[in-house]
């Protein structure tokens, strides 16, 4: 069998925003979605330039250097779309579990097949990015209609895998009251959903578009204000009626 090698865009050894506690976060290269607001366009091309090419064991060896720091946190795979490299994710998580490390994957769940679902065998928490619930709106925001993401959520429920929903709120695009209400009502019926993370749109990645020579699709759209995101968080803070739903 050919050796599994992950194509890794970058590493962050003390991540605090991608799952519980302090985490070793690995950004994998490749993503098919092309979200209008993406701040990591340099991760899109699966064959693009990467910082590392590691086997799962090599990545684990790197992680273990930080073991004392992440003992109450764990490891997170993100990207890009990590599930573009399912064999790598699965084997890395399997090794992490052997070491007693908590495993989290941040995914849009847009690729649903036997291989991607097999990663869930070794996954403790999923951060599931829902771009938009409405299929037409989702196709406008990214290169998918979102149905696979909802199928993925069904699978998480069937497997009882704790899930945090993530949703980027973009002025004039996804910041609509009725749409947010619908999203909350939809995910609420899934008992695995522990939390909804509202992510304010920002423009910190726009320089990367310039570097890559790509037009930035949301030129002129201002970042979501701190007041607006506070209002949204406040409005839905008890929406799930679950102990862990408060941030
Ligand atoms: S899923 Fe994430 S990495 Fe992929 S295009 Fe969308 S925001 Fe960018």
């Amino acid at each position: 069998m050919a050796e599994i090698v992950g194509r890794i865009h970058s590493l962050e050894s003390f991540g605090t925003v991608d799952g519980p506690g302090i985490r070793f976060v690995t950004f994998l290269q490749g993503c098919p979605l092309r979200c209008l607001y993406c701040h990591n366009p340099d991760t899109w091309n699966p064959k693009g330039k990467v910082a590392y090419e590691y086997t799962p064991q090599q990545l684990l060896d790197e992680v273990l250097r930080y073991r004392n720091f992440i003992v109450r946190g764990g490891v997170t795979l993100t990207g890009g779309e990590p599930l573009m490299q399912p064999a790598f994710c699965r084997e890395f998580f399997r090794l992490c579990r052997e070491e007693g490390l908590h495993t989290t994957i941040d995914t849009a769940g847009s690729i649903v097949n036997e291989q991607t679902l097999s990663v869930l065998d070794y996954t403790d928490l999923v951060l599931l990015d829902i771009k938009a619930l409405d299929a037409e709106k989702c196709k406008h925001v990214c290169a998918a209609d979102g149905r696979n993401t909802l199928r993925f959520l069904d699978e998480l429920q069937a497997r009882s895998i704790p899930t945090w929903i993530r949703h980027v709120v973009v002025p004039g695009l996804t910041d609509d009251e009725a749409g947010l209400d619908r999203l909350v009502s939809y995910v609420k019926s899934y008992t695995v959903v522990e939390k909804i993370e509202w992510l304010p749109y920002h423009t910190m990645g726009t320089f990367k578009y310039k570097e890559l020579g790509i037009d930035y699709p949301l030129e002129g759209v201002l970042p979501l204000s701190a007041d607006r995101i506070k209002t949204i968080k406040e409005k839905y803070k008890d929406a799930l009626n679950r102990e862990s739903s408060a941030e």
Side-chain angles (χ1 to χ4, degrees):
M1 198 172 79
E3 194 171 34
I4 302 167
V5 176
R7 305 199 74 246
I8 297 167
H9 172 272
S10 50
L11 301 173
E12 188 184 348
S13 30
F14 297 97
T16 53
V17 294
D18 295 302
I22 296 173
R23 312 190 69 82
F24 190 102
V25 182
T26 302
F27 296 80
L28 293 180
Q29 184 71 21
C31 182
L33 287 189
R34 311 287 185 269
C35 300
L36 294 178
Y37 50 71
C38 182
H39 56 267
N40 288 322
D42 47 336
T43 64
W44 289 351
N45 180 357
K47 299 198 168 118
K49 191 165 158 265
V50 289
Y52 310 95
E53 288 188 317
Y54 280 164
T55 64
Q57 183 63 53
Q58 285 169 330
L59 180 58
L60 179 70
D61 292 344
E62 184 64 25
V63 167
L64 291 177
R65 294 172 54 207
Y66 301 89
R67 177 171 208 133
N68 290 346
F69 300 99
I70 61 170
V71 75
R72 289 173 203 277
V75 297
T76 298
L77 291 177
T78 182
E81 171 50 72
L83 290 180
M84 280 191 88
Q85 302 185 58
F88 179 82
C89 295
R90 179 183 159 89
E91 180 58 10
F92 174 63
F93 276 0
R94 191 186 69 74
L95 295 171
C96 287
R97 278 261 182 100
E98 279 182 5
E99 292 291 336
L101 294 169
H102 178 274
T103 59
T104 293
I105 194 159
D106 175 19
T107 175
S110 64
I111 310 166
V112 184
N113 57 41
E114 207 177 310
Q115 282 178 304
T116 56
L117 294 178
S118 76
V119 177
L120 298 177
D121 295 346
Y122 299 105
T123 302
D124 295 317
L125 173 70
V126 174
L127 310 179
L128 184 66
D129 307 309
I130 298 185
K131 310 293 176 187
L133 205 51
D134 176 73
E136 285 309 309
K137 186 167 215 171
C138 196
K139 278 197 278 183
H140 177 59
V141 173
C142 70
D145 64 12
R147 284 194 202 138
N148 275 354
T149 307
L150 303 183
R151 279 175 60 203
F152 201 85
L153 180 55
D154 288 341
E155 192 68 33
L156 297 174
Q157 179 71 35
R159 291 171 179 244
S160 303
I161 297 181
T163 301
W164 295 1
I165 302 296
R166 293 185 138 183
H167 184 67
V168 179
V169 187
V170 187
L173 188 66
T174 55
D175 184 13
D176 86 278
E177 211 72 31
L180 300 184
D181 283 347
R182 273 198 304 278
L183 177 65
V184 171
S185 322
Y186 186 88
V187 302
K188 203 175 156 168
S189 59
Y190 290 79
T191 55
V192 289
V193 173
E194 295 181 342
K195 184 170 174 175
I196 304 174
E197 293 191 316
W198 305 102
L199 309 177
Y201 167 70
H202 62 75
T203 52
M204 285 183 282
T206 50
F207 74 95
K208 295 184 183 173
Y209 285 78
K210 287 202 182 82
E211 282 175 6
L212 292 164
I214 312 172
D215 286 337
Y216 184 57
L218 296 184
E219 197 62 63
V221 176
L222 296 176
L224 194 81
S225 72
D227 277 352
R228 178 63 185 140
I229 201 71
K230 197 171 155 208
T231 304
I232 292 171
K233 286 181 178 175
E234 188 58 31
K235 176 173 177 186
Y236 299 114
K237 78 174 179 346
D238 299 321
L240 297 176
N241 292 323
R242 285 162 209 156
E243 219 172 290
S244 53
S245 65
E247 281 186 41

